[in-house]
Every structure is written in structure tokens, then in C-alpha cells.
Amino acid sequence: MPVHKTKEGREEFLFRNLQDPFYAVDSRAYQFIEPDQDRFEELGMTVMAIEKFRPHINLERAVMAVRFSDEIFGTQFHPEASPQALIENLKDEKNREAMIENFGMEKYLETMDRIDDEDKIILTRNQILPRFLQFAKKHFERD
């Protein structure tokens, strides 16, 4: 699924080299919507990404990534997902049927067609986790 960077997300080093929107595996059963902006500011938290804009669906866009602090970053999507893992997941009839029911056959077929595109989940996987781990290692070695 496409994920859009927020204004602050465009500056997020974990998202560097990712397009806007970038692509991620989104398999949520629940979603985080309508964040309390005042509380976020009070706690120093920032929304970094939101789900794709769907004008035909009258729903609040879900928060897809939050920077909680310099050290803590959370995602609603799976930055670790690989094409092989997604294919394995969709071999399970229950998962495949749930995807088709929630997103339609066209989206399922599109996903299968684009699953190993270098500019989609492969790029997301190759950018976010390695950058996070490099940052953590640098800061761990300093302390």
C-alpha cells in the first residue's frame, strides 16, 4: 500500500531515499486515527507518515509512522516485510481472502504483480531498518 510522508516525515532520515508516497506492507486489524496534536506536542512526538489519500472513502486517514523520541520510532506498517514473506502469507487462504475482501481482487492482483518491484517494499525494507540499526549502533558505541 502507498504511504505518504507528512511535512516532518519528508525530513525523517529513516525515510531518506524513499519516494512520496513509498510502499509498505499494511496488514493492520486496527488503526490509529485522529491523534491529539496538543498531546503529541506536549510529549515531543511527531506523525511522520499517513495512509494513502482515498477520496472515495469517507474515513480519517490512519497514522502510519510516529517519531516518539530520538530513540523510538513506531510504524503501523511492516518495514521488515519482504516479497517472499508476503507471498508466503498470501498462500494462506484465510489471509488471501481477507486481502481480497478488504481491498478487492484488483488490488490483490496489482500487489502480486508489483510484489518484487525494486521501488516498492524492497526499497522500504532496504532503507528503514538498516538506517535505524546504523543510527542505534552509532549511538550505542558513543555511550
Side-chain angles (χ1 to χ4, degrees):
M1 302 297 261
V3 176
H4 293 271
K5 300 175 189 179
T6 62
K7 182 177 128 194
E8 296 81 4
R10 288 186 209 107
E11 302 301 317
E12 173 59 48
F13 80 96
L14 295 176
F15 293 164
R16 196 172 302 138
N17 299 330
L18 295 178
Q19 302 165 342
D20 191 9
F22 62 93
Y23 290 81
V25 173
D26 175 9
S27 61
R28 61 193 137 120
Y30 302 95
Q31 62 184 0
F32 170 35
I33 58 172
E34 300 177 354
D36 181 336
Q37 294 299 333
D38 293 335
R39 185 72 172 141
F40 261 55
E41 282 183 35
E42 180 183 326
L43 296 171
M45 298 166 30
T46 308
V47 173
M48 295 296 184
I50 55 177
E51 73 178 327
K52 79 175 201 172
F53 180 61
R54 297 175 293 174
H56 59 285
I57 298 175
N58 189 23
L59 292 173
E60 179 80 17
R61 292 165 77 183
V63 173
M64 298 304 287
V66 174
R67 167 70 60 195
F68 291 94
S69 69
D70 288 343
E71 301 82 13
I72 301 174
F73 191 86
T75 63
Q76 173 98 343
F77 58 88
H78 294 277
E80 79 286 358
S82 68
Q84 299 81 10
L86 184 55
I87 288 169
E88 284 302 312
N89 181 274
L90 293 174
K91 283 182 180 178
D92 181 299
E93 187 176 339
K94 186 176 90 177
N95 294 337
R96 184 177 51 257
E97 292 304 318
M99 181 179 184
I100 293 167
E101 183 179 324
N102 289 322
F103 301 104
M105 179 59 83
E106 184 177 337
K107 187 64 174 178
Y108 170 78
L109 293 173
E110 178 184 299
T111 297
M112 296 309 290
D113 182 54
R114 297 178 176 179
I115 202 163
D116 57 358
D117 287 0
E118 293 291 326
D119 66 337
K120 303 228 175 5
I121 66 171
I122 292 173
L123 180 62
T124 301
R125 177 188 170 112
N126 290 340
Q127 292 297 311
I128 294 177
L129 290 179
R131 286 181 186 283
F132 180 83
L133 293 171
Q134 288 166 355
F135 176 83
K137 181 179 182 223
K138 242 191 281 185
H139 285 74
F140 181 72
E141 289 173 345
R142 247 190 333 192
D143 297 339

